Amino acid sequence: MPATEAATQHRGRILIPAARLGKGVRLPLERIGSAAWLMAQVIRSLFRLRREQFQVLRRVLRLQVKFTALEALPLTMIAALLMGGITLIQVFGQLSTYGAEDYLSQLLAKLVIRELGPLLVGVIVIGRSGTAIAAEMASMKLSGEVDALIATGVNPIQYLLVPRMLGGIVAVFSLIIFFDATALLGGFIVAWWRLPLSLTSFMDALGGVIGAKELAITFLKALVFGGSIPLLCASYGLRVKRSTTEIPPAVTKAAVASLLMVFLIGGLLSAALYG
Amino acid sequence: MADSVLVFEDIHLRSEEGKAIFNGLQWSMPRNANINLRVTSGGDATSLLKLAAGLIHPQKGRVLLDGVPLTPYSFDHPFLQRGALGWVPREGGLLVNQNLRANVALPLMFTKRMGRTEAEAVAAKALEQAGLAEAADHRPHALDPRERWLGALVRASVMEPELWLVDQPLQDLESTMQEAAAIILDRAAASPASMVVVGDESWIPWMSMQTIRLGNGRLIAEDS
Protein backbone atom coordinates (compact mmCIF):
# COMPACT_ATOMS: atom_id res chain seq x y z
CA MET A 1 0.00 0.00 0.00
CA PRO A 2 1.50 3.40 -0.96
CA ALA A 3 2.45 5.70 1.95
CA THR A 4 -0.07 8.41 0.99
CA GLU A 5 -2.93 5.88 0.90
CA ALA A 6 -1.96 4.52 4.33
CA ALA A 7 -1.84 8.06 5.73
CA THR A 8 -5.30 8.80 4.28
CA GLN A 9 -6.73 5.63 5.84
CA HIS A 10 -5.13 6.50 9.22
CA ARG A 11 -6.62 10.02 9.07
CA GLY A 12 -9.98 8.48 8.18
CA ARG A 13 -9.90 6.21 11.24
CA ILE A 14 -9.22 9.18 13.54
CA LEU A 15 -12.18 11.09 12.11
CA ILE A 16 -14.70 8.21 12.48
CA PRO A 17 -15.97 9.27 15.98
CA ALA A 18 -16.37 12.87 14.77
CA ALA A 19 -18.35 11.67 11.75
CA ARG A 20 -20.78 9.86 14.07
CA LEU A 21 -21.71 13.09 15.86
CA GLY A 22 -25.35 14.00 15.37
CA LYS A 23 -26.09 10.71 13.56
CA GLY A 24 -29.39 10.29 15.43
CA VAL A 25 -30.72 13.54 14.02
CA ARG A 26 -28.91 13.48 10.69
CA LEU A 27 -30.09 10.04 9.55
CA PRO A 28 -33.85 10.62 9.94
CA LEU A 29 -33.47 14.00 8.24
CA GLU A 30 -31.54 12.36 5.40
CA ARG A 31 -34.30 9.74 5.03
CA ILE A 32 -37.04 12.39 4.95
CA GLY A 33 -34.98 14.37 2.42
CA SER A 34 -34.40 11.39 0.16
CA ALA A 35 -38.09 10.37 0.33
CA ALA A 36 -39.11 13.92 -0.61
CA TRP A 37 -36.57 13.93 -3.47
CA LEU A 38 -37.93 10.62 -4.73
CA MET A 39 -41.52 11.86 -4.54
CA ALA A 40 -40.55 14.97 -6.54
CA GLN A 41 -38.74 12.82 -9.14
CA VAL A 42 -41.75 10.53 -9.53
CA ILE A 43 -44.17 13.43 -10.02
CA ARG A 44 -41.77 15.07 -12.50
CA SER A 45 -41.34 11.76 -14.36
CA LEU A 46 -45.11 11.24 -14.45
CA PHE A 47 -45.64 14.48 -16.33
CA ARG A 48 -42.80 13.71 -18.74
CA LEU A 49 -44.23 10.34 -19.80
CA ARG A 50 -45.02 10.05 -23.49
CA ARG A 51 -48.22 8.42 -24.67
CA GLU A 52 -46.46 5.27 -25.98
CA GLN A 53 -44.61 4.91 -22.69
CA PHE A 54 -47.86 5.14 -20.77
CA GLN A 55 -49.17 2.24 -22.88
CA VAL A 56 -46.25 0.15 -21.58
CA LEU A 57 -46.93 1.20 -17.98
CA ARG A 58 -50.64 0.34 -18.17
CA ARG A 59 -49.88 -3.35 -17.66
CA VAL A 60 -47.70 -2.69 -14.59
CA LEU A 61 -50.39 -0.34 -13.24
CA ARG A 62 -53.13 -2.93 -13.75
CA LEU A 63 -51.08 -5.59 -11.94
CA GLN A 64 -50.39 -3.20 -9.07
CA VAL A 65 -54.09 -2.37 -8.62
CA LYS A 66 -55.00 -6.06 -8.85
CA PHE A 67 -52.46 -7.04 -6.21
CA THR A 68 -52.97 -4.09 -3.86
CA ALA A 69 -56.74 -3.67 -4.09
CA LEU A 70 -58.50 -6.68 -5.58
CA GLU A 71 -56.51 -9.38 -3.81
CA ALA A 72 -56.65 -7.45 -0.51
CA LEU A 73 -60.42 -7.05 -0.67
CA PRO A 74 -61.46 -10.18 1.33
CA LEU A 75 -59.05 -9.36 4.18
CA THR A 76 -60.10 -5.70 4.16
CA MET A 77 -63.81 -6.55 4.26
CA ILE A 78 -63.46 -9.10 7.06
CA ALA A 79 -61.41 -6.60 9.10
CA ALA A 80 -63.95 -3.84 8.37
CA LEU A 81 -66.98 -5.96 9.29
CA LEU A 82 -65.45 -6.94 12.64
CA MET A 83 -64.13 -3.43 13.29
CA GLY A 84 -67.55 -1.87 12.62
CA GLY A 85 -69.27 -4.32 14.96
CA ILE A 86 -66.69 -3.99 17.74
CA THR A 87 -66.65 -0.19 17.51
CA LEU A 88 -70.42 -0.07 17.74
CA ILE A 89 -70.45 -2.31 20.83
CA GLN A 90 -67.94 0.00 22.54
CA VAL A 91 -69.70 3.19 21.46
CA PHE A 92 -73.09 1.79 22.47
CA GLY A 93 -71.75 0.98 25.94
CA GLN A 94 -70.64 4.58 26.45
CA LEU A 95 -73.65 6.30 24.86
CA SER A 96 -76.29 4.20 26.63
CA THR A 97 -74.82 5.37 29.98
CA TYR A 98 -75.96 8.89 29.04
CA GLY A 99 -79.10 7.84 27.18
CA ALA A 100 -77.66 9.12 23.91
CA GLU A 101 -78.25 6.04 21.71
CA ASP A 102 -79.74 8.26 19.00
CA TYR A 103 -76.28 9.46 18.10
CA LEU A 104 -74.98 5.91 17.65
CA SER A 105 -74.93 5.71 13.86
CA GLN A 106 -73.64 9.26 13.48
CA LEU A 107 -70.74 8.62 15.83
CA LEU A 108 -69.94 5.31 14.14
CA ALA A 109 -69.95 6.94 10.72
CA LYS A 110 -67.66 9.74 11.84
CA LEU A 111 -65.21 7.34 13.50
CA VAL A 112 -65.09 4.94 10.57
CA ILE A 113 -65.04 7.41 7.68
CA ARG A 114 -62.78 10.04 9.19
CA GLU A 115 -60.27 7.89 11.07
CA LEU A 116 -60.55 4.11 11.14
CA GLY A 117 -61.09 3.52 7.43
CA PRO A 118 -58.05 5.34 6.04
CA LEU A 119 -55.83 4.27 8.94
CA LEU A 120 -56.61 0.56 8.84
CA VAL A 121 -56.54 0.40 5.05
CA GLY A 122 -53.11 2.06 5.26
CA VAL A 123 -51.95 -0.62 7.70
CA ILE A 124 -53.33 -3.44 5.50
CA VAL A 125 -51.68 -1.97 2.37
CA ILE A 126 -48.34 -1.63 4.17
CA GLY A 127 -48.53 -5.22 5.43
CA ARG A 128 -49.52 -6.78 2.12
CA SER A 129 -48.18 -4.55 -0.64
CA GLY A 130 -45.64 -2.17 0.88
CA THR A 131 -43.48 -5.00 2.16
CA ALA A 132 -43.84 -6.83 -1.18
CA ILE A 133 -42.75 -3.72 -3.08
CA ALA A 134 -39.72 -3.26 -0.80
CA ALA A 135 -38.66 -6.88 -1.27
CA GLU A 136 -39.26 -6.76 -5.05
CA MET A 137 -37.24 -3.57 -5.50
CA ALA A 138 -34.39 -4.93 -3.37
CA SER A 139 -34.31 -8.14 -5.36
CA MET A 140 -34.39 -6.24 -8.68
CA LYS A 141 -31.53 -4.04 -7.53
CA LEU A 142 -29.36 -6.99 -6.52
CA SER A 143 -30.04 -9.01 -9.68
CA GLY A 144 -29.00 -6.14 -11.95
CA GLU A 145 -32.52 -5.56 -13.34
CA VAL A 146 -32.56 -1.90 -12.29
CA ASP A 147 -29.11 -1.40 -13.85
CA ALA A 148 -30.30 -3.01 -17.09
CA LEU A 149 -33.34 -0.70 -17.21
CA ILE A 150 -31.14 2.39 -16.79
CA ALA A 151 -28.59 1.22 -19.37
CA THR A 152 -31.24 0.38 -21.97
CA GLY A 153 -32.82 3.82 -21.67
CA VAL A 154 -35.84 2.74 -19.62
CA ASN A 155 -36.08 5.31 -16.84
CA PRO A 156 -36.55 3.19 -13.67
CA ILE A 157 -38.49 5.97 -11.94
CA GLN A 158 -40.99 6.00 -14.79
CA TYR A 159 -41.13 2.24 -15.28
CA LEU A 160 -41.00 1.03 -11.67
CA LEU A 161 -42.21 3.83 -9.43
CA VAL A 162 -44.82 5.82 -11.37
CA PRO A 163 -47.20 2.83 -11.86
CA ARG A 164 -46.73 1.76 -8.26
CA MET A 165 -47.60 5.23 -6.99
CA LEU A 166 -50.66 5.56 -9.26
CA GLY A 167 -51.72 1.99 -8.47
CA GLY A 168 -51.33 2.71 -4.75
CA ILE A 169 -53.60 5.76 -4.96
CA VAL A 170 -56.32 3.92 -6.91
CA ALA A 171 -56.08 0.87 -4.64
CA VAL A 172 -56.12 2.75 -1.32
CA PHE A 173 -59.06 4.91 -2.41
CA SER A 174 -61.06 1.86 -3.53
CA LEU A 175 -60.22 -0.09 -0.37
CA ILE A 176 -61.21 2.82 1.88
CA ILE A 177 -64.63 3.00 0.16
CA PHE A 178 -65.16 -0.76 0.60
CA PHE A 179 -63.82 -0.65 4.17
CA ASP A 180 -66.13 2.20 5.17
CA ALA A 181 -69.20 0.59 3.60
CA THR A 182 -68.49 -2.82 5.17
CA ALA A 183 -67.65 -1.37 8.60
CA LEU A 184 -70.91 0.58 8.61
CA LEU A 185 -72.76 -2.59 7.61
CA GLY A 186 -71.05 -4.46 10.48
CA GLY A 187 -72.09 -1.67 12.82
CA PHE A 188 -75.66 -1.83 11.59
CA ILE A 189 -75.82 -5.62 12.09
CA VAL A 190 -74.73 -5.23 15.72
CA ALA A 191 -77.02 -2.23 16.27
CA TRP A 192 -79.98 -4.09 14.73
CA TRP A 193 -79.27 -7.03 17.07
CA ARG A 194 -78.98 -4.87 20.21
CA LEU A 195 -81.42 -2.02 19.50
CA PRO A 196 -84.84 -1.46 17.97
CA LEU A 197 -83.18 0.12 14.91
CA SER A 198 -84.40 -0.11 11.30
CA LEU A 199 -82.16 0.08 8.22
CA THR A 200 -84.05 3.17 7.05
CA SER A 201 -83.44 5.14 10.23
CA PHE A 202 -79.79 3.98 10.27
CA MET A 203 -79.30 5.12 6.65
CA ASP A 204 -81.07 8.42 7.33
CA ALA A 205 -78.76 9.12 10.24
CA LEU A 206 -75.75 8.27 8.05
CA GLY A 207 -77.02 10.55 5.29
CA GLY A 208 -76.88 13.45 7.74
CA VAL A 209 -73.20 12.81 8.46
CA ILE A 210 -71.71 11.75 5.12
CA GLY A 211 -71.29 14.70 2.80
CA ALA A 212 -68.92 16.11 0.23
CA LYS A 213 -66.44 17.03 2.96
CA GLU A 214 -66.15 13.40 4.11
CA LEU A 215 -65.59 12.24 0.53
CA ALA A 216 -62.96 14.94 -0.05
CA ILE A 217 -61.11 13.95 3.11
CA THR A 218 -61.25 10.27 2.15
CA PHE A 219 -59.79 11.15 -1.23
CA LEU A 220 -57.09 13.33 0.35
CA LYS A 221 -56.02 10.56 2.72
CA ALA A 222 -56.08 8.01 -0.12
CA LEU A 223 -53.92 10.32 -2.22
CA VAL A 224 -51.38 10.82 0.55
CA PHE A 225 -51.28 7.23 1.87
CA GLY A 226 -51.65 5.53 -1.51
CA GLY A 227 -48.98 7.69 -3.10
CA SER A 228 -46.45 7.62 -0.31
CA ILE A 229 -46.59 4.01 0.97
CA PRO A 230 -45.33 2.43 -2.30
CA LEU A 231 -42.67 5.11 -2.78
CA LEU A 232 -41.37 4.93 0.77
CA CYS A 233 -41.23 1.12 0.65
CA ALA A 234 -39.58 1.17 -2.79
CA SER A 235 -36.97 3.65 -1.59
CA TYR A 236 -35.99 1.31 1.27
CA GLY A 237 -35.83 -1.63 -1.13
CA LEU A 238 -33.68 0.23 -3.63
CA ARG A 239 -31.18 1.11 -0.90
CA VAL A 240 -29.76 -2.43 -0.69
CA LYS A 241 -26.32 -2.71 -2.21
CA ARG A 242 -24.65 -6.08 -2.20
CA SER A 243 -26.27 -9.02 -0.49
CA THR A 244 -29.61 -10.77 -0.16
CA THR A 245 -29.13 -10.63 3.63
CA GLU A 246 -29.90 -6.89 3.35
CA ILE A 247 -33.44 -7.61 2.09
CA PRO A 248 -35.22 -8.61 5.36
CA PRO A 249 -33.92 -5.56 7.32
CA ALA A 250 -34.85 -3.31 4.37
CA VAL A 251 -38.41 -4.72 4.35
CA THR A 252 -38.74 -4.29 8.13
CA LYS A 253 -37.48 -0.69 7.96
CA ALA A 254 -39.85 0.03 5.07
CA ALA A 255 -42.84 -1.27 7.05
CA VAL A 256 -41.90 0.62 10.24
CA ALA A 257 -41.25 3.88 8.39
CA SER A 258 -44.51 3.57 6.44
CA LEU A 259 -46.55 2.84 9.59
CA LEU A 260 -44.99 5.84 11.30
CA MET A 261 -45.74 7.98 8.27
CA VAL A 262 -49.39 6.83 8.08
CA PHE A 263 -50.03 7.49 11.79
CA LEU A 264 -48.19 10.82 11.74
CA ILE A 265 -49.78 12.18 8.56
CA GLY A 266 -53.21 10.76 9.52
CA GLY A 267 -52.97 12.51 12.87
CA LEU A 268 -51.77 15.79 11.38
CA LEU A 269 -54.51 15.79 8.73
CA SER A 270 -57.20 15.07 11.31
CA ALA A 271 -55.89 17.79 13.62
CA ALA A 272 -55.81 20.24 10.72
CA LEU A 273 -59.25 19.34 9.34
CA TYR A 274 -61.25 18.63 12.50
CA GLY A 275 -59.14 20.08 15.28
CA MET B 1 -11.65 13.95 -27.50
CA ALA B 2 -14.28 15.25 -29.88
CA ASP B 3 -14.25 11.94 -31.77
CA SER B 4 -14.43 9.86 -28.61
CA VAL B 5 -17.60 8.04 -27.73
CA LEU B 6 -16.37 7.27 -24.23
CA VAL B 7 -13.88 9.20 -22.08
CA PHE B 8 -12.55 8.36 -18.62
CA GLU B 9 -10.95 11.40 -17.00
CA ASP B 10 -8.73 10.77 -13.97
CA ILE B 11 -11.02 8.10 -12.54
CA HIS B 12 -10.55 7.13 -8.90
CA LEU B 13 -12.87 4.35 -7.86
CA ARG B 14 -12.93 2.44 -4.60
CA SER B 15 -15.09 -0.53 -3.69
CA GLU B 16 -17.48 -0.45 -0.71
CA GLU B 17 -14.73 -2.11 1.32
CA GLY B 18 -12.35 0.72 0.43
CA LYS B 19 -10.24 -1.31 -2.02
CA ALA B 20 -8.86 0.80 -4.89
CA ILE B 21 -10.21 -0.39 -8.26
CA PHE B 22 -9.05 2.53 -10.40
CA ASN B 23 -6.53 5.12 -9.35
CA GLY B 24 -6.30 7.92 -11.87
CA LEU B 25 -7.52 5.99 -14.93
CA GLN B 26 -7.31 8.00 -18.16
CA TRP B 27 -8.73 6.51 -21.33
CA SER B 28 -10.64 7.67 -24.31
CA MET B 29 -12.35 5.33 -26.73
CA PRO B 30 -12.52 6.57 -30.32
CA ARG B 31 -15.85 6.45 -32.12
CA ASN B 32 -16.31 3.27 -34.22
CA ALA B 33 -13.57 1.46 -32.29
CA ASN B 34 -14.00 -2.21 -31.50
CA ILE B 35 -12.22 -3.19 -28.33
CA ASN B 36 -11.63 -6.67 -26.98
CA LEU B 37 -10.92 -6.16 -23.28
CA ARG B 38 -8.86 -8.91 -21.69
CA VAL B 39 -8.62 -8.99 -17.95
CA THR B 40 -5.35 -9.81 -16.23
CA SER B 41 -4.46 -9.87 -12.54
CA GLY B 42 -6.17 -7.13 -10.49
CA GLY B 43 -8.48 -6.09 -13.32
CA ASP B 44 -12.19 -5.42 -12.79
CA ALA B 45 -13.90 -5.22 -16.18
CA THR B 46 -17.42 -5.22 -14.72
CA SER B 47 -16.69 -2.02 -12.78
CA LEU B 48 -15.22 -0.44 -15.91
CA LEU B 49 -18.38 -1.26 -17.91
CA LYS B 50 -20.64 -0.03 -15.09
CA LEU B 51 -18.69 3.24 -14.97
CA ALA B 52 -19.11 3.59 -18.72
CA ALA B 53 -22.88 3.03 -18.46
CA GLY B 54 -23.25 5.45 -15.53
CA LEU B 55 -24.37 2.69 -13.16
CA ILE B 56 -21.63 3.46 -10.67
CA HIS B 57 -19.81 6.75 -10.25
CA PRO B 58 -16.19 7.44 -9.37
CA GLN B 59 -15.23 9.13 -6.12
CA LYS B 60 -13.03 11.44 -8.23
CA GLY B 61 -12.88 12.16 -11.95
CA ARG B 62 -15.63 11.94 -14.53
CA VAL B 63 -16.91 9.78 -17.36
CA LEU B 64 -18.14 11.35 -20.58
CA LEU B 65 -20.50 9.38 -22.78
CA ASP B 66 -20.82 10.88 -26.24
CA GLY B 67 -19.29 14.08 -24.84
CA VAL B 68 -21.83 14.46 -22.01
CA PRO B 69 -20.77 13.70 -18.40
CA LEU B 70 -22.59 10.94 -16.56
CA THR B 71 -23.97 12.12 -13.23
CA PRO B 72 -25.51 10.15 -10.34
CA TYR B 73 -29.30 9.78 -10.13
CA SER B 74 -29.81 11.36 -13.52
CA PHE B 75 -31.73 9.18 -15.95
CA ASP B 76 -32.01 11.75 -18.70
CA HIS B 77 -28.57 11.42 -20.27
CA PRO B 78 -29.32 11.92 -23.98
CA PHE B 79 -27.23 8.92 -25.07
CA LEU B 80 -29.08 6.58 -22.70
CA GLN B 81 -32.47 8.14 -23.38
CA ARG B 82 -32.25 7.42 -27.09
CA GLY B 83 -31.37 3.79 -26.35
CA ALA B 84 -27.89 4.10 -27.88
CA LEU B 85 -26.20 1.84 -25.33
CA GLY B 86 -26.11 -1.91 -25.83
CA TRP B 87 -25.81 -3.28 -22.30
CA VAL B 88 -24.96 -6.96 -21.83
CA PRO B 89 -24.09 -7.71 -18.18
CA ARG B 90 -22.74 -11.05 -16.99
CA GLU B 91 -26.02 -12.15 -15.39
CA GLY B 92 -28.21 -10.76 -18.18
CA GLY B 93 -30.19 -8.29 -16.07
CA LEU B 94 -33.53 -9.52 -17.46
CA LEU B 95 -36.75 -8.58 -15.64
CA VAL B 96 -37.85 -11.67 -13.73
CA ASN B 97 -41.57 -10.96 -13.98
CA GLN B 98 -41.58 -10.96 -17.78
CA ASN B 99 -40.76 -13.60 -20.33
CA LEU B 100 -37.71 -13.35 -22.58
CA ARG B 101 -39.64 -11.95 -25.56
CA ALA B 102 -41.21 -9.20 -23.43
CA ASN B 103 -37.78 -8.41 -22.00
CA VAL B 104 -36.33 -7.94 -25.48
CA ALA B 105 -39.36 -5.93 -26.61
CA LEU B 106 -39.47 -3.60 -23.57
CA PRO B 107 -36.70 -1.13 -24.56
CA LEU B 108 -38.04 -1.08 -28.14
CA MET B 109 -41.44 0.04 -26.85
CA PHE B 110 -40.26 2.34 -24.10
CA THR B 111 -37.22 3.92 -25.73
CA LYS B 112 -37.77 3.54 -29.47
CA ARG B 113 -41.55 4.18 -29.23
CA MET B 114 -42.43 1.00 -31.13
CA GLY B 115 -45.93 -0.45 -30.77
CA ARG B 116 -46.30 -3.63 -28.70
CA THR B 117 -47.19 -5.93 -31.63
CA GLU B 118 -44.31 -4.72 -33.78
CA ALA B 119 -41.81 -4.77 -30.89
CA GLU B 120 -42.78 -8.32 -29.91
CA ALA B 121 -42.51 -9.45 -33.54
CA VAL B 122 -39.01 -7.93 -33.82
CA ALA B 123 -38.05 -9.54 -30.51
CA ALA B 124 -39.42 -12.96 -31.53
CA LYS B 125 -37.52 -12.87 -34.83
CA ALA B 126 -34.24 -11.84 -33.19
CA LEU B 127 -34.60 -14.54 -30.53
CA GLU B 128 -35.31 -17.14 -33.20
CA GLN B 129 -32.18 -16.12 -35.13
CA ALA B 130 -30.15 -16.53 -31.93
CA GLY B 131 -31.56 -20.02 -31.36
CA LEU B 132 -33.72 -18.89 -28.43
CA ALA B 133 -37.15 -19.37 -30.02
CA GLU B 134 -38.12 -22.04 -27.50
CA ALA B 135 -36.95 -19.89 -24.59
CA ALA B 136 -38.92 -16.83 -25.74
CA ASP B 137 -41.98 -17.64 -23.65
CA HIS B 138 -40.03 -18.48 -20.51
CA ARG B 139 -39.26 -16.15 -17.67
CA PRO B 140 -35.59 -15.67 -16.74
CA HIS B 141 -35.66 -17.98 -13.72
CA ALA B 142 -36.57 -20.85 -16.07
CA LEU B 143 -33.57 -20.13 -18.29
CA ASP B 144 -29.99 -21.28 -18.11
CA PRO B 145 -27.58 -18.44 -17.07
CA ARG B 146 -26.02 -18.69 -20.56
CA GLU B 147 -29.44 -18.24 -22.18
CA ARG B 148 -30.02 -15.18 -20.01
CA TRP B 149 -26.74 -13.68 -21.18
CA LEU B 150 -27.54 -14.48 -24.82
CA GLY B 151 -31.03 -13.02 -24.29
CA ALA B 152 -29.42 -9.80 -23.05
CA LEU B 153 -27.19 -9.80 -26.15
CA VAL B 154 -30.31 -10.10 -28.34
CA ARG B 155 -32.01 -7.31 -26.34
CA ALA B 156 -29.01 -5.09 -27.08
CA SER B 157 -28.87 -6.07 -30.76
CA VAL B 158 -32.49 -5.16 -31.56
CA MET B 159 -31.81 -1.63 -30.29
CA GLU B 160 -29.00 -1.21 -32.88
CA PRO B 161 -26.85 0.60 -30.32
CA GLU B 162 -24.09 3.10 -30.99
CA LEU B 163 -21.95 1.68 -28.17
CA TRP B 164 -21.92 -1.93 -27.03
CA LEU B 165 -20.72 -2.86 -23.55
CA VAL B 166 -20.56 -6.65 -23.43
CA ASP B 167 -19.40 -8.44 -20.29
CA GLN B 168 -18.43 -12.11 -20.20
CA PRO B 169 -21.18 -14.67 -19.60
CA LEU B 170 -21.16 -16.34 -16.17
CA GLN B 171 -20.53 -19.76 -17.73
CA ASP B 172 -18.85 -20.99 -20.93
CA LEU B 173 -21.28 -20.94 -23.85
CA GLU B 174 -22.26 -24.09 -25.71
CA SER B 175 -21.16 -24.27 -29.34
CA THR B 176 -24.54 -23.24 -30.79
CA MET B 177 -24.71 -20.26 -28.43
CA GLN B 178 -21.12 -19.34 -29.31
CA GLU B 179 -22.07 -19.28 -32.99
CA ALA B 180 -25.15 -17.14 -32.33
CA ALA B 181 -23.20 -14.70 -30.14
CA ALA B 182 -20.34 -14.50 -32.64
CA ILE B 183 -22.76 -13.67 -35.48
CA ILE B 184 -24.33 -10.84 -33.47
CA LEU B 185 -20.94 -9.45 -32.40
CA ASP B 186 -19.50 -9.83 -35.93
CA ARG B 187 -22.43 -7.86 -37.33
CA ALA B 188 -21.97 -5.19 -34.67
CA ALA B 189 -18.22 -5.00 -35.33
CA ALA B 190 -18.91 -4.42 -39.02
CA SER B 191 -21.42 -1.66 -38.26
CA PRO B 192 -20.52 1.96 -37.45
CA ALA B 193 -21.12 1.20 -33.76
CA SER B 194 -18.36 1.13 -31.14
CA MET B 195 -17.96 -1.85 -28.87
CA VAL B 196 -16.18 -3.13 -25.80
CA VAL B 197 -16.31 -6.91 -25.44
CA VAL B 198 -14.79 -8.47 -22.33
CA GLY B 199 -13.14 -11.89 -22.50
CA ASP B 200 -10.65 -14.00 -24.37
CA GLU B 201 -12.87 -16.85 -25.51
CA SER B 202 -12.15 -18.24 -28.94
CA TRP B 203 -15.63 -17.45 -30.30
CA ILE B 204 -15.27 -13.68 -29.79
CA PRO B 205 -14.53 -12.17 -33.20
CA TRP B 206 -11.42 -10.51 -31.79
CA MET B 207 -9.69 -10.45 -35.17
CA SER B 208 -11.81 -7.42 -36.02
CA MET B 209 -11.05 -5.75 -32.69
CA GLN B 210 -8.22 -4.00 -30.94
CA THR B 211 -7.08 -5.90 -27.86
CA ILE B 212 -6.63 -3.98 -24.64
CA ARG B 213 -5.56 -5.53 -21.36
CA LEU B 214 -6.99 -4.45 -18.04
CA GLY B 215 -4.88 -5.19 -15.00
CA ASN B 216 -4.29 -3.46 -11.66
CA GLY B 217 -6.63 -0.64 -12.58
CA ARG B 218 -4.80 0.23 -15.80
CA LEU B 219 -5.63 -0.22 -19.48
CA ILE B 220 -2.78 -1.18 -21.77
CA ALA B 221 -3.17 -1.55 -25.53
CA GLU B 222 -1.61 -4.82 -26.70
CA ASP B 223 0.31 -3.27 -29.57
CA SER B 224 1.94 -0.55 -27.42
Side-chain angles (χ1 to χ4, degrees):
Chain A
M1 185 189 293
T4 49
E5 199 172 317
T8 310
Q9 283 195 1
H10 179 67
R11 206 164 46 239
R13 273 197 294 274
I14 291 171
L15 292 173
I16 285 171
R20 286 192 185 130
L21 280 174
K23 198 179 164 190
V25 177
R26 205 178 61 237
L27 270 182
L29 287 177
E30 267 178 27
R31 298 264 156 86
I32 293 169
S34 73
W37 177 85
L38 191 67
M39 178 74 86
Q41 290 292 313
V42 173
I43 293 168
R44 182 170 159 258
S45 301
L46 170 66
F47 289 109
R48 294 175 76 177
L49 270 173
R50 296 190 305 261
R51 199 171 56 86
E52 310 84 19
Q53 291 176 326
F54 198 79
Q55 302 286 329
V56 179
L57 299 190
R58 260 196 355 213
R59 185 178 161 270
V60 190
L61 179 63
R62 208 168 45 233
L63 285 175
Q64 189 62 47
V65 173
K66 183 180 169 234
F67 175 66
T68 308
L70 206 62
E71 291 175 11
L73 207 54
L75 169 68
T76 307
M77 289 175 78
I78 291 168
L81 201 67
L82 294 172
M83 190 56 62
I86 293 163
T87 308
L88 192 120
I89 290 170
Q90 293 299 330
V91 171
F92 176 72
Q94 297 299 315
L95 290 182
S96 57
T97 316
Y98 304 103
E101 292 92 335
D102 291 348
Y103 297 104
L104 198 62
S105 47
Q106 290 183 19
L107 196 59
L108 178 73
K110 280 186 178 173
L111 262 175
V112 167
I113 293 170
R114 291 181 177 183
E115 304 299 337
L116 288 177
L119 207 63
L120 288 175
V121 165
V123 172
I124 288 170
V125 168
I126 290 167
R128 277 194 83 259
S129 306
T131 50
I133 289 173
E136 186 190 13
M137 291 297 124
S139 157
M140 289 182 81
K141 177 91 182 289
L142 292 176
S143 64
E145 292 169 62
V146 178
D147 280 354
L149 286 174
I150 297 168
T152 50
V154 180
N155 183 334
I157 291 183
Q158 287 180 326
Y159 184 73
L160 297 175
L161 301 186
V162 167
R164 277 165 183 83
M165 185 188 75
L166 294 179
I169 292 169
V170 172
V172 170
F173 183 71
S174 316
L175 285 178
I176 290 176
I177 300 291
F178 275 99
F179 184 98
D180 289 354
T182 316
L184 293 175
L185 177 73
F188 170 74
I189 292 169
V190 173
W192 176 71
W193 168 51
R194 300 284 293 266
L195 294 164
L197 185 70
S198 71
L199 182 62
T200 321
S201 59
F202 187 78
M203 294 304 279
D204 285 345
L206 285 184
V209 179
I210 304 170
K213 188 183 174 190
E214 263 60 36
L215 272 177
I217 290 162
T218 299
F219 183 70
L220 180 67
K221 287 193 174 177
L223 192 72
V224 175
F225 294 167
S228 51
I229 292 169
L231 293 189
L232 200 57
C233 291
S235 77
Y236 275 91
L238 290 170
R239 246 178 239 155
V240 303
K241 285 181 180 161
R242 284 173 293 175
S243 156
T244 48
T245 54
E246 293 173 55
I247 297 178
V251 172
T252 307
K253 283 179 188 169
V256 171
S258 304
L259 284 171
L260 201 63
M261 183 272 298
V262 162
F263 289 128
L264 196 69
I265 294 181
L268 286 174
L269 280 175
S270 294
L273 296 164
Y274 306 113
Chain B
M1 290 282 254
D3 275 348
S4 300
V5 66
L6 182 63
V7 178
F8 291 99
E9 283 182 357
D10 190 26
I11 299 298
H12 291 72
L13 180 72
R14 282 177 180 279
S15 67
E16 291 278 333
E17 297 81 15
K19 185 184 153 213
I21 300 171
F22 296 112
N23 225 338
L25 175 72
Q26 290 278 151
W27 186 54
S28 92
M29 182 182 173
R31 220 171 277 279
N32 306 336
N34 297 323
I35 309 285
N36 176 209
L37 194 66
R38 298 193 175 189
V39 182
T40 56
S41 167
D44 185 347
T46 301
S47 293
L48 186 86
L49 297 187
K50 284 189 170 183
L51 275 170
L55 303 174
I56 54 173
H57 298 275
Q59 282 82 28
K60 192 181 159 206
R62 61 179 192 160
V63 180
L64 286 92
L65 190 56
D66 203 26
V68 181
L70 288 159
T71 50
Y73 305 112
S74 171
F75 306 115
D76 48 12
H77 191 287
F79 195 83
L80 298 179
Q81 266 199 330
R82 67 172 186 265
L85 190 70
W87 176 247
V88 187
R90 301 197 74 176
E91 67 283 356
L94 302 169
L95 297 176
V96 293
N97 60 358
Q98 297 195 12
N99 65 30
L100 186 55
R101 186 174 48 248
N103 263 287
V104 175
L106 176 66
L108 287 173
M109 293 188 289
F110 205 88
T111 313
K112 301 278 185 188
R113 303 184 188 198
M114 209 179 261
R116 181 179 295 274
T117 317
E118 188 189 357
E120 294 214 336
V122 170
K125 190 178 171 195
L127 287 168
E128 192 187 340
Q129 284 172 347
L132 291 172
E134 281 181 28
D137 288 323
H138 293 145
R139 290 187 178 193
H141 61 81
L143 302 176
D144 185 77
R146 290 164 291 198
E147 288 177 317
R148 282 183 224 149
W149 179 87
L150 192 55
L153 192 70
V154 173
R155 179 181 61 190
S157 75
V158 295
M159 296 290 285
E160 297 175 354
E162 294 166 41
L163 171 64
W164 291 69
L165 298 174
V166 184
D167 210 341
Q168 278 177 305
L170 284 168
Q171 296 172 4
D172 289 338
L173 299 183
E174 289 169 2
S175 58
T176 50
M177 289 182 180
Q178 289 179 7
E179 268 175 48
I183 288 169
I184 293 171
L185 293 179
D186 245 340
R187 205 182 301 137
S191 77
S194 318
M195 61 195 302
V196 178
V197 181
V198 179
D200 52 6
E201 285 85 355
S202 57
W203 53 266
I204 295 175
W206 54 269
M207 294 296 284
S208 53
M209 299 180 184
Q210 184 198 357
T211 302
I212 290 185
R213 293 194 182 274
L214 170 66
N216 293 319
R218 297 179 65 196
L219 289 167
I220 302 156
E222 193 148 79
D223 53 354
S224 65

